[in-house]
Amino acid sequence: MKKYLIQKIPFVVPTNDGKLIEEHHGLVSTENKDISIAHMIAPPKWSEPFQTPEFEEYTYIISGKKQFIIENETIVLEAGQSIKIEANTRVQYSNPFDEPCEYIAICKPAFDFNKVHRE
């Protein structure tokens, strides 16, 4: 039995807001409930509703900028920067800028739509 798994075809999460979500490891793609790793591209002027996830989320910005509103504090990250947001924290993610934002998101335990609690 191999002690590794190469992900060549991530699960592309269907969206209706223009955002690309490619889950490389996680509940849907590899049935991993402990962690999820996704490559994402948020188009210009994109935003999500506020949410209070039951999991930690780490974000690393590859290119562009991403805005976070974390419990009423607005933070903007740029390429090369990263952030960890604790579980059970109210947050809104957006890209109010004119360029796409490409980033990697890691959730621990894995992202679960039933545990994201979007408003």
Side-chain angles (χ1 to χ4, degrees), residues 63-111:
S63 65
K65 296 187 283 188
K66 185 175 179 187
Q67 178 174 287
F68 304 76
I69 299 176
I70 304 169
E71 298 190 344
N72 300 318
E73 181 180 356
T74 301
I75 298 164
V76 175
L77 294 186
E78 298 181 3
Q81 296 180 322
S82 63
I83 191 170
K84 173 191 177 188
I85 301 173
E86 296 290 338
N88 303 306
T89 300
R90 186 173 186 259
V91 60
Q92 184 206 33
Y93 302 105
S94 66
N95 177 11
F97 309 105
D98 294 328
E99 300 295 324
C101 178
E102 182 176 12
Y103 60 100
I104 301 294
I106 299 170
C107 298
K108 189 174 177 188
F111 179 91

mmCIF file of all heavy atoms in Angstrom, residues 63-111:
data_model
loop_
_atom_site.group_PDB
_atom_site.id
_atom_site.type_symbol
_atom_site.label_atom_id
_atom_site.label_comp_id
_atom_site.label_asym_id
_atom_site.label_seq_id
_atom_site.Cartn_x
_atom_site.Cartn_y
_atom_site.Cartn_z
ATOM 1 N N SER A 63 -1.830 35.720 -5.496
ATOM 2 C CA SER A 63 -1.814 36.966 -6.276
ATOM 3 C C SER A 63 -3.098 37.743 -6.004
ATOM 4 O O SER A 63 -4.108 37.175 -5.615
ATOM 5 C CB SER A 63 -1.672 36.674 -7.774
ATOM 6 O OG SER A 63 -2.805 35.971 -8.255
ATOM 7 N N GLY A 64 -3.022 39.044 -6.217
ATOM 8 C CA GLY A 64 -4.176 39.900 -5.958
ATOM 9 C C GLY A 64 -4.287 40.234 -4.486
ATOM 10 O O GLY A 64 -3.330 40.110 -3.711
ATOM 11 N N LYS A 65 -5.486 40.651 -4.078
ATOM 12 C CA LYS A 65 -5.763 41.016 -2.690
ATOM 13 C C LYS A 65 -7.099 40.410 -2.274
ATOM 14 O O LYS A 65 -7.988 40.228 -3.100
ATOM 15 C CB LYS A 65 -5.851 42.541 -2.530
ATOM 16 C CG LYS A 65 -4.559 43.262 -2.819
ATOM 17 C CD LYS A 65 -4.631 44.741 -2.493
ATOM 18 C CE LYS A 65 -5.387 45.498 -3.549
ATOM 19 N NZ LYS A 65 -5.321 46.961 -3.384
ATOM 20 N N LYS A 66 -7.223 40.126 -0.994
ATOM 21 C CA LYS A 66 -8.464 39.591 -0.445
ATOM 22 C C LYS A 66 -8.789 40.349 0.830
ATOM 23 O O LYS A 66 -7.903 40.621 1.642
ATOM 24 C CB LYS A 66 -8.319 38.093 -0.153
ATOM 25 C CG LYS A 66 -9.614 37.432 0.305
ATOM 26 C CD LYS A 66 -9.426 35.930 0.455
ATOM 27 C CE LYS A 66 -10.718 35.287 0.935
ATOM 28 N NZ LYS A 66 -10.531 33.880 1.248
ATOM 29 N N GLN A 67 -10.075 40.676 0.984
ATOM 30 C CA GLN A 67 -10.524 41.400 2.168
ATOM 31 C C GLN A 67 -11.227 40.448 3.125
ATOM 32 O O GLN A 67 -12.009 39.596 2.703
ATOM 33 C CB GLN A 67 -11.482 42.520 1.770
ATOM 34 C CG GLN A 67 -12.026 43.297 2.948
ATOM 35 C CD GLN A 67 -12.857 44.478 2.502
ATOM 36 O OE1 GLN A 67 -12.320 45.464 2.030
ATOM 37 N NE2 GLN A 67 -14.167 44.352 2.634
ATOM 38 N N PHE A 68 -10.938 40.642 4.408
ATOM 39 C CA PHE A 68 -11.546 39.876 5.482
ATOM 40 C C PHE A 68 -12.179 40.872 6.448
ATOM 41 O O PHE A 68 -11.530 41.830 6.845
ATOM 42 C CB PHE A 68 -10.495 39.085 6.269
ATOM 43 C CG PHE A 68 -9.653 38.166 5.440
ATOM 44 C CD1 PHE A 68 -8.626 38.655 4.632
ATOM 45 C CD2 PHE A 68 -9.851 36.797 5.492
ATOM 46 C CE1 PHE A 68 -7.832 37.805 3.894
ATOM 47 C CE2 PHE A 68 -9.057 35.942 4.750
ATOM 48 C CZ PHE A 68 -8.051 36.448 3.940
ATOM 49 N N ILE A 69 -13.424 40.642 6.823
ATOM 50 C CA ILE A 69 -14.009 41.384 7.937
ATOM 51 C C ILE A 69 -14.159 40.361 9.049
ATOM 52 O O ILE A 69 -14.949 39.415 8.944
ATOM 53 C CB ILE A 69 -15.360 42.032 7.577
ATOM 54 C CG1 ILE A 69 -15.170 43.020 6.427
ATOM 55 C CG2 ILE A 69 -15.941 42.735 8.813
ATOM 56 C CD1 ILE A 69 -16.467 43.641 5.919
ATOM 57 N N ILE A 70 -13.345 40.527 10.084
ATOM 58 C CA ILE A 70 -13.288 39.568 11.182
ATOM 59 C C ILE A 70 -13.789 40.271 12.435
ATOM 60 O O ILE A 70 -13.112 41.153 12.965
ATOM 61 C CB ILE A 70 -11.856 39.037 11.391
ATOM 62 C CG1 ILE A 70 -11.327 38.430 10.083
ATOM 63 C CG2 ILE A 70 -11.820 38.029 12.532
ATOM 64 C CD1 ILE A 70 -9.847 38.117 10.104
ATOM 65 N N GLU A 71 -15.002 39.898 12.849
ATOM 66 C CA GLU A 71 -15.617 40.491 14.032
ATOM 67 C C GLU A 71 -15.465 42.017 14.021
ATOM 68 O O GLU A 71 -14.917 42.602 14.940
ATOM 69 C CB GLU A 71 -15.073 39.838 15.286
ATOM 70 C CG GLU A 71 -15.425 38.349 15.304
ATOM 71 C CD GLU A 71 -15.137 37.643 16.603
ATOM 72 O OE1 GLU A 71 -14.393 38.175 17.446
ATOM 73 O OE2 GLU A 71 -15.665 36.532 16.765
ATOM 74 N N ASN A 72 -15.920 42.635 12.911
ATOM 75 C CA ASN A 72 -15.981 44.086 12.705
ATOM 76 C C ASN A 72 -14.641 44.765 12.419
ATOM 77 O O ASN A 72 -14.580 45.988 12.350
ATOM 78 C CB ASN A 72 -16.680 44.784 13.872
ATOM 79 C CG ASN A 72 -18.103 44.303 14.043
ATOM 80 O OD1 ASN A 72 -18.825 44.126 13.061
ATOM 81 N ND2 ASN A 72 -18.510 44.061 15.272
ATOM 82 N N GLU A 73 -13.561 44.004 12.246
ATOM 83 C CA GLU A 73 -12.270 44.578 11.854
ATOM 84 C C GLU A 73 -12.001 44.201 10.403
ATOM 85 O O GLU A 73 -12.072 43.025 10.039
ATOM 86 C CB GLU A 73 -11.151 44.051 12.752
ATOM 87 C CG GLU A 73 -9.796 44.623 12.399
ATOM 88 C CD GLU A 73 -8.674 44.107 13.289
ATOM 89 O OE1 GLU A 73 -8.953 43.345 14.238
ATOM 90 O OE2 GLU A 73 -7.525 44.454 13.019
ATOM 91 N N THR A 74 -11.686 45.192 9.563
ATOM 92 C CA THR A 74 -11.399 44.943 8.147
ATOM 93 C C THR A 74 -9.899 44.792 7.949
ATOM 94 O O THR A 74 -9.113 45.641 8.375
ATOM 95 C CB THR A 74 -11.937 46.096 7.277
ATOM 96 O OG1 THR A 74 -13.353 46.205 7.484
ATOM 97 C CG2 THR A 74 -11.657 45.836 5.805
ATOM 98 N N ILE A 75 -9.526 43.695 7.297
ATOM 99 C CA ILE A 75 -8.128 43.367 7.031
ATOM 100 C C ILE A 75 -8.008 43.060 5.550
ATOM 101 O O ILE A 75 -8.842 42.346 4.986
ATOM 102 C CB ILE A 75 -7.683 42.138 7.859
ATOM 103 C CG1 ILE A 75 -7.805 42.450 9.358
ATOM 104 C CG2 ILE A 75 -6.282 41.692 7.489
ATOM 105 C CD1 ILE A 75 -7.761 41.236 10.241
ATOM 106 N N VAL A 76 -6.962 43.566 4.901
ATOM 107 C CA VAL A 76 -6.693 43.270 3.497
ATOM 108 C C VAL A 76 -5.326 42.601 3.415
ATOM 109 O O VAL A 76 -4.331 43.135 3.907
ATOM 110 C CB VAL A 76 -6.723 44.545 2.630
ATOM 111 C CG1 VAL A 76 -6.323 44.221 1.189
ATOM 112 C CG2 VAL A 76 -8.102 45.193 2.666
ATOM 113 N N LEU A 77 -5.304 41.415 2.805
ATOM 114 C CA LEU A 77 -4.037 40.708 2.579
ATOM 115 C C LEU A 77 -3.656 40.808 1.117
ATOM 116 O O LEU A 77 -4.530 40.801 0.241
ATOM 117 C CB LEU A 77 -4.156 39.234 2.962
ATOM 118 C CG LEU A 77 -4.378 38.884 4.420
ATOM 119 C CD1 LEU A 77 -4.307 37.375 4.603
ATOM 120 C CD2 LEU A 77 -3.372 39.565 5.317
ATOM 121 N N GLU A 78 -2.350 40.833 0.860
ATOM 122 C CA GLU A 78 -1.813 40.887 -0.494
ATOM 123 C C GLU A 78 -0.958 39.653 -0.738
ATOM 124 O O GLU A 78 -0.685 38.872 0.184
ATOM 125 C CB GLU A 78 -0.984 42.152 -0.657
ATOM 126 C CG GLU A 78 -1.804 43.415 -0.463
ATOM 127 C CD GLU A 78 -0.991 44.685 -0.643
ATOM 128 O OE1 GLU A 78 0.207 44.603 -0.979
ATOM 129 O OE2 GLU A 78 -1.568 45.768 -0.448
ATOM 130 N N ALA A 79 -0.517 39.493 -1.980
ATOM 131 C CA ALA A 79 0.302 38.345 -2.381
ATOM 132 C C ALA A 79 1.469 38.152 -1.412
ATOM 133 O O ALA A 79 2.143 39.107 -1.030
ATOM 134 C CB ALA A 79 0.812 38.543 -3.797
ATOM 135 N N GLY A 80 1.658 36.897 -1.006
ATOM 136 C CA GLY A 80 2.750 36.545 -0.105
ATOM 137 C C GLY A 80 2.372 36.596 1.364
ATOM 138 O O GLY A 80 3.149 36.172 2.212
ATOM 139 N N GLN A 81 1.170 37.088 1.673
ATOM 140 C CA GLN A 81 0.735 37.161 3.061
ATOM 141 C C GLN A 81 -0.241 36.027 3.368
ATOM 142 O O GLN A 81 -0.876 35.482 2.460
ATOM 143 C CB GLN A 81 0.069 38.508 3.352
ATOM 144 C CG GLN A 81 1.017 39.677 3.201
ATOM 145 C CD GLN A 81 0.338 41.003 3.488
ATOM 146 O OE1 GLN A 81 -0.816 41.218 3.133
ATOM 147 N NE2 GLN A 81 1.066 41.909 4.132
ATOM 148 N N SER A 82 -0.351 35.702 4.649
ATOM 149 C CA SER A 82 -1.274 34.639 5.062
ATOM 150 C C SER A 82 -1.923 35.011 6.388
ATOM 151 O O SER A 82 -1.468 35.927 7.084
ATOM 152 C CB SER A 82 -0.534 33.300 5.190
ATOM 153 O OG SER A 82 0.453 33.375 6.212
ATOM 154 N N ILE A 83 -2.988 34.276 6.710
ATOM 155 C CA ILE A 83 -3.739 34.520 7.936
ATOM 156 C C ILE A 83 -4.312 33.207 8.447
ATOM 157 O O ILE A 83 -4.605 32.308 7.658
ATOM 158 C CB ILE A 83 -4.871 35.551 7.691
ATOM 159 C CG1 ILE A 83 -5.497 36.033 9.004
ATOM 160 C CG2 ILE A 83 -5.921 34.984 6.743
ATOM 161 C CD1 ILE A 83 -6.436 37.225 8.834
ATOM 162 N N LYS A 84 -4.442 33.110 9.757
ATOM 163 C CA LYS A 84 -5.154 31.998 10.398
ATOM 164 C C LYS A 84 -6.341 32.607 11.129
ATOM 165 O O LYS A 84 -6.170 33.551 11.909
ATOM 166 C CB LYS A 84 -4.271 31.265 11.405
ATOM 167 C CG LYS A 84 -5.037 30.217 12.199
ATOM 168 C CD LYS A 84 -4.210 29.694 13.358
ATOM 169 C CE LYS A 84 -5.021 28.701 14.177
ATOM 170 N NZ LYS A 84 -4.324 28.329 15.407
ATOM 171 N N ILE A 85 -7.528 32.071 10.879
ATOM 172 C CA ILE A 85 -8.733 32.526 11.564
ATOM 173 C C ILE A 85 -9.243 31.367 12.413
ATOM 174 O O ILE A 85 -9.460 30.264 11.899
ATOM 175 C CB ILE A 85 -9.800 33.005 10.561
ATOM 176 C CG1 ILE A 85 -9.227 34.162 9.729
ATOM 177 C CG2 ILE A 85 -11.065 33.428 11.305
ATOM 178 C CD1 ILE A 85 -10.117 34.607 8.600
ATOM 179 N N GLU A 86 -9.394 31.620 13.688
ATOM 180 C CA GLU A 86 -9.816 30.588 14.629
ATOM 181 C C GLU A 86 -11.239 30.109 14.336
ATOM 182 O O GLU A 86 -12.063 30.855 13.795
ATOM 183 C CB GLU A 86 -9.759 31.115 16.058
ATOM 184 C CG GLU A 86 -8.368 31.486 16.547
ATOM 185 C CD GLU A 86 -7.458 30.288 16.756
ATOM 186 O OE1 GLU A 86 -7.960 29.156 16.933
ATOM 187 O OE2 GLU A 86 -6.238 30.484 16.755
ATOM 188 N N ALA A 87 -11.512 28.887 14.715
ATOM 189 C CA ALA A 87 -12.871 28.328 14.601
ATOM 190 C C ALA A 87 -13.837 29.178 15.422
ATOM 191 O O ALA A 87 -13.444 29.814 16.405
ATOM 192 C CB ALA A 87 -12.884 26.888 15.102
ATOM 193 N N ASN A 88 -15.090 29.193 14.988
ATOM 194 C CA ASN A 88 -16.168 29.903 15.681
ATOM 195 C C ASN A 88 -15.956 31.416 15.722
ATOM 196 O O ASN A 88 -16.359 32.076 16.681
ATOM 197 C CB ASN A 88 -16.371 29.334 17.093
ATOM 198 C CG ASN A 88 -16.658 27.850 17.043
ATOM 199 O OD1 ASN A 88 -17.575 27.416 16.353
ATOM 200 N ND2 ASN A 88 -15.857 27.062 17.740
ATOM 201 N N THR A 89 -15.324 31.947 14.666
ATOM 202 C CA THR A 89 -15.109 33.377 14.517
ATOM 203 C C THR A 89 -15.984 33.883 13.384
ATOM 204 O O THR A 89 -15.979 33.315 12.292
ATOM 205 C CB THR A 89 -13.627 33.673 14.196
ATOM 206 O OG1 THR A 89 -12.821 33.173 15.262
ATOM 207 C CG2 THR A 89 -13.386 35.154 14.018
ATOM 208 N N ARG A 90 -16.715 34.962 13.614
ATOM 209 C CA ARG A 90 -17.572 35.544 12.570
ATOM 210 C C ARG A 90 -16.678 36.284 11.571
ATOM 211 O O ARG A 90 -15.875 37.138 11.954
ATOM 212 C CB ARG A 90 -18.595 36.498 13.178
ATOM 213 C CG ARG A 90 -19.591 37.020 12.161
ATOM 214 C CD ARG A 90 -20.683 37.827 12.857
ATOM 215 N NE ARG A 90 -21.714 38.224 11.913
ATOM 216 C CZ ARG A 90 -21.798 39.444 11.368
ATOM 217 N NH1 ARG A 90 -20.926 40.369 11.680
ATOM 218 N NH2 ARG A 90 -22.774 39.713 10.510
ATOM 219 N N VAL A 91 -16.833 35.909 10.285
ATOM 220 C CA VAL A 91 -15.963 36.451 9.249
ATOM 221 C C VAL A 91 -16.719 36.600 7.938
ATOM 222 O O VAL A 91 -17.660 35.860 7.658
ATOM 223 C CB VAL A 91 -14.722 35.535 9.053
ATOM 224 C CG1 VAL A 91 -15.122 34.138 8.630
ATOM 225 C CG2 VAL A 91 -13.732 36.136 8.081
ATOM 226 N N GLN A 92 -16.302 37.586 7.144
ATOM 227 C CA GLN A 92 -16.787 37.706 5.771
ATOM 228 C C GLN A 92 -15.567 37.814 4.870
ATOM 229 O O GLN A 92 -14.635 38.576 5.137
ATOM 230 C CB GLN A 92 -17.656 38.939 5.573
ATOM 231 C CG GLN A 92 -18.215 38.967 4.144
ATOM 232 C CD GLN A 92 -18.536 40.360 3.641
ATOM 233 O OE1 GLN A 92 -17.875 41.330 3.978
ATOM 234 N NE2 GLN A 92 -19.557 40.432 2.810
ATOM 235 N N TYR A 93 -15.597 37.045 3.781
ATOM 236 C CA TYR A 93 -14.527 37.053 2.789
ATOM 237 C C TYR A 93 -15.014 37.791 1.556
ATOM 238 O O TYR A 93 -16.151 37.596 1.119
ATOM 239 C CB TYR A 93 -14.160 35.620 2.385
ATOM 240 C CG TYR A 93 -13.731 34.744 3.535
ATOM 241 C CD1 TYR A 93 -14.577 33.768 4.041
ATOM 242 C CD2 TYR A 93 -12.483 34.892 4.103
ATOM 243 C CE1 TYR A 93 -14.180 32.957 5.088
ATOM 244 C CE2 TYR A 93 -12.077 34.085 5.156
ATOM 245 C CZ TYR A 93 -12.923 33.112 5.644
ATOM 246 O OH TYR A 93 -12.524 32.315 6.686
ATOM 247 N N SER A 94 -14.124 38.603 0.945
ATOM 248 C CA SER A 94 -14.510 39.281 -0.290
ATOM 249 C C SER A 94 -13.282 39.715 -1.076
ATOM 250 O O SER A 94 -12.159 39.749 -0.560
ATOM 251 C CB SER A 94 -15.388 40.506 0.009
ATOM 252 O OG SER A 94 -14.652 41.491 0.695
ATOM 253 N N ASN A 95 -13.532 40.040 -2.331
ATOM 254 C CA ASN A 95 -12.537 40.650 -3.212
ATOM 255 C C ASN A 95 -13.201 41.871 -3.844
ATOM 256 O O ASN A 95 -13.709 41.796 -4.952
ATOM 257 C CB ASN A 95 -12.069 39.668 -4.287
ATOM 258 C CG ASN A 95 -11.097 40.313 -5.256
ATOM 259 O OD1 ASN A 95 -10.615 41.411 -5.018
ATOM 260 N ND2 ASN A 95 -10.811 39.640 -6.353
ATOM 261 N N PRO A 96 -13.215 43.007 -3.134
ATOM 262 C CA PRO A 96 -13.854 44.204 -3.665
ATOM 263 C C PRO A 96 -12.980 44.945 -4.669
ATOM 264 O O PRO A 96 -13.332 46.041 -5.104
ATOM 265 C CB PRO A 96 -14.091 45.044 -2.407
ATOM 266 C CG PRO A 96 -12.953 44.677 -1.520
ATOM 267 C CD PRO A 96 -12.716 43.200 -1.785
ATOM 268 N N PHE A 97 -11.866 44.338 -5.059
ATOM 269 C CA PHE A 97 -10.875 45.000 -5.902
ATOM 270 C C PHE A 97 -11.113 44.698 -7.382
ATOM 271 O O PHE A 97 -11.999 43.931 -7.732
ATOM 272 C CB PHE A 97 -9.477 44.588 -5.440
ATOM 273 C CG PHE A 97 -9.303 44.777 -3.954
ATOM 274 C CD1 PHE A 97 -9.316 43.683 -3.100
ATOM 275 C CD2 PHE A 97 -9.195 46.038 -3.391
ATOM 276 C CE1 PHE A 97 -9.202 43.841 -1.720
ATOM 277 C CE2 PHE A 97 -9.076 46.216 -2.023
ATOM 278 C CZ PHE A 97 -9.073 45.116 -1.189
ATOM 279 N N ASP A 98 -10.310 45.295 -8.245
ATOM 280 C CA ASP A 98 -10.495 45.192 -9.696
ATOM 281 C C ASP A 98 -9.774 44.006 -10.339
ATOM 282 O O ASP A 98 -9.958 43.758 -11.529
ATOM 283 C CB ASP A 98 -10.044 46.494 -10.377
ATOM 284 C CG ASP A 98 -10.935 47.669 -10.010
ATOM 285 O OD1 ASP A 98 -12.152 47.451 -9.788
ATOM 286 O OD2 ASP A 98 -10.415 48.799 -9.925
ATOM 287 N N GLU A 99 -8.941 43.305 -9.582
ATOM 288 C CA GLU A 99 -8.189 42.165 -10.115
ATOM 289 C C GLU A 99 -8.612 40.887 -9.398
ATOM 290 O O GLU A 99 -9.002 40.925 -8.222
ATOM 291 C CB GLU A 99 -6.684 42.374 -9.902
ATOM 292 C CG GLU A 99 -6.119 43.609 -10.582
ATOM 293 C CD GLU A 99 -6.198 43.535 -12.093
ATOM 294 O OE1 GLU A 99 -6.029 42.434 -12.657
ATOM 295 O OE2 GLU A 99 -6.443 44.580 -12.730
ATOM 296 N N PRO A 100 -8.521 39.725 -10.061
ATOM 297 C CA PRO A 100 -8.811 38.460 -9.379
ATOM 298 C C PRO A 100 -7.848 38.235 -8.212
ATOM 299 O O PRO A 100 -6.738 38.778 -8.199
ATOM 300 C CB PRO A 100 -8.580 37.397 -10.460
ATOM 301 C CG PRO A 100 -8.575 38.130 -11.754
ATOM 302 C CD PRO A 100 -8.137 39.535 -11.461
ATOM 303 N N CYS A 101 -8.271 37.446 -7.260
ATOM 304 C CA CYS A 101 -7.421 37.051 -6.133
ATOM 305 C C CYS A 101 -7.275 35.535 -6.159
ATOM 306 O O CYS A 101 -8.264 34.805 -6.078
ATOM 307 C CB CYS A 101 -8.030 37.492 -4.810
ATOM 308 S SG CYS A 101 -7.044 36.968 -3.384
ATOM 309 N N GLU A 102 -6.049 35.079 -6.279
ATOM 310 C CA GLU A 102 -5.758 33.645 -6.257
ATOM 311 C C GLU A 102 -5.158 33.296 -4.911
ATOM 312 O O GLU A 102 -4.256 34.000 -4.426
ATOM 313 C CB GLU A 102 -4.784 33.285 -7.379
ATOM 314 C CG GLU A 102 -4.462 31.812 -7.445
ATOM 315 C CD GLU A 102 -3.560 31.448 -8.618
ATOM 316 O OE1 GLU A 102 -2.999 32.358 -9.261
ATOM 317 O OE2 GLU A 102 -3.416 30.243 -8.876
ATOM 318 N N TYR A 103 -5.672 32.225 -4.298
ATOM 319 C CA TYR A 103 -5.183 31.870 -2.975
ATOM 320 C C TYR A 103 -5.385 30.393 -2.674
ATOM 321 O O TYR A 103 -6.084 29.683 -3.393
ATOM 322 C CB TYR A 103 -5.844 32.733 -1.895
ATOM 323 C CG TYR A 103 -7.351 32.633 -1.817
ATOM 324 C CD1 TYR A 103 -7.972 31.836 -0.860
ATOM 325 C CD2 TYR A 103 -8.170 33.364 -2.670
ATOM 326 C CE1 TYR A 103 -9.356 31.758 -0.767
ATOM 327 C CE2 TYR A 103 -9.553 33.297 -2.585
ATOM 328 C CZ TYR A 103 -10.136 32.494 -1.631
ATOM 329 O OH TYR A 103 -11.500 32.419 -1.551
ATOM 330 N N ILE A 104 -4.743 29.958 -1.613
ATOM 331 C CA ILE A 104 -4.889 28.606 -1.088
ATOM 332 C C ILE A 104 -5.600 28.717 0.250
ATOM 333 O O ILE A 104 -5.230 29.560 1.084
ATOM 334 C CB ILE A 104 -3.514 27.916 -0.885
ATOM 335 C CG1 ILE A 104 -2.734 27.821 -2.188
ATOM 336 C CG2 ILE A 104 -3.673 26.553 -0.212
ATOM 337 C CD1 ILE A 104 -3.343 26.915 -3.223
ATOM 338 N N ALA A 105 -6.616 27.892 0.463
ATOM 339 C CA ALA A 105 -7.330 27.849 1.742
ATOM 340 C C ALA A 105 -7.187 26.459 2.343
ATOM 341 O O ALA A 105 -7.358 25.457 1.652
ATOM 342 C CB ALA A 105 -8.800 28.190 1.547
ATOM 343 N N ILE A 106 -6.870 26.438 3.615
ATOM 344 C CA ILE A 106 -6.734 25.183 4.354
ATOM 345 C C ILE A 106 -7.671 25.264 5.555
ATOM 346 O O ILE A 106 -7.615 26.228 6.325
ATOM 347 C CB ILE A 106 -5.285 24.963 4.822
ATOM 348 C CG1 ILE A 106 -4.362 24.890 3.610
ATOM 349 C CG2 ILE A 106 -5.179 23.714 5.699
ATOM 350 C CD1 ILE A 106 -2.889 24.917 3.950
ATOM 351 N N CYS A 107 -8.526 24.269 5.689
ATOM 352 C CA CYS A 107 -9.459 24.229 6.815
ATOM 353 C C CYS A 107 -9.159 23.005 7.672
ATOM 354 O O CYS A 107 -8.901 21.926 7.154
ATOM 355 C CB CYS A 107 -10.907 24.153 6.328
ATOM 356 S SG CYS A 107 -11.411 25.575 5.354
ATOM 357 N N LYS A 108 -9.214 23.215 8.993
ATOM 358 C CA LYS A 108 -8.916 22.136 9.920
ATOM 359 C C LYS A 108 -9.898 22.196 11.069
ATOM 360 O O LYS A 108 -9.898 23.209 11.771
ATOM 361 C CB LYS A 108 -7.487 22.277 10.411
ATOM 362 C CG LYS A 108 -7.005 21.109 11.197
ATOM 363 C CD LYS A 108 -5.548 21.257 11.528
ATOM 364 C CE LYS A 108 -5.140 20.078 12.390
ATOM 365 N NZ LYS A 108 -3.818 20.215 12.912
ATOM 366 N N PRO A 109 -10.745 21.167 11.289
ATOM 367 C CA PRO A 109 -10.952 20.040 10.391
ATOM 368 C C PRO A 109 -11.462 20.501 9.030
ATOM 369 O O PRO A 109 -11.674 21.692 8.817
ATOM 370 C CB PRO A 109 -11.986 19.180 11.122
ATOM 371 C CG PRO A 109 -12.625 20.068 12.128
ATOM 372 C CD PRO A 109 -11.652 21.172 12.424
ATOM 373 N N ALA A 110 -11.669 19.563 8.140
ATOM 374 C CA ALA A 110 -12.004 19.861 6.751
ATOM 375 C C ALA A 110 -13.257 20.721 6.622
ATOM 376 O O ALA A 110 -14.172 20.647 7.442
ATOM 377 C CB ALA A 110 -12.204 18.563 5.969
ATOM 378 N N PHE A 111 -13.268 21.541 5.555
ATOM 379 C CA PHE A 111 -14.443 22.350 5.244
ATOM 380 C C PHE A 111 -15.659 21.436 5.134
ATOM 381 O O PHE A 111 -15.616 20.396 4.489
ATOM 382 C CB PHE A 111 -14.253 23.092 3.919
ATOM 383 C CG PHE A 111 -15.451 23.927 3.541
ATOM 384 C CD1 PHE A 111 -15.542 25.244 3.929
ATOM 385 C CD2 PHE A 111 -16.500 23.374 2.819
ATOM 386 C CE1 PHE A 111 -16.649 26.005 3.599
ATOM 387 C CE2 PHE A 111 -17.608 24.122 2.483
ATOM 388 C CZ PHE A 111 -17.684 25.447 2.870
#
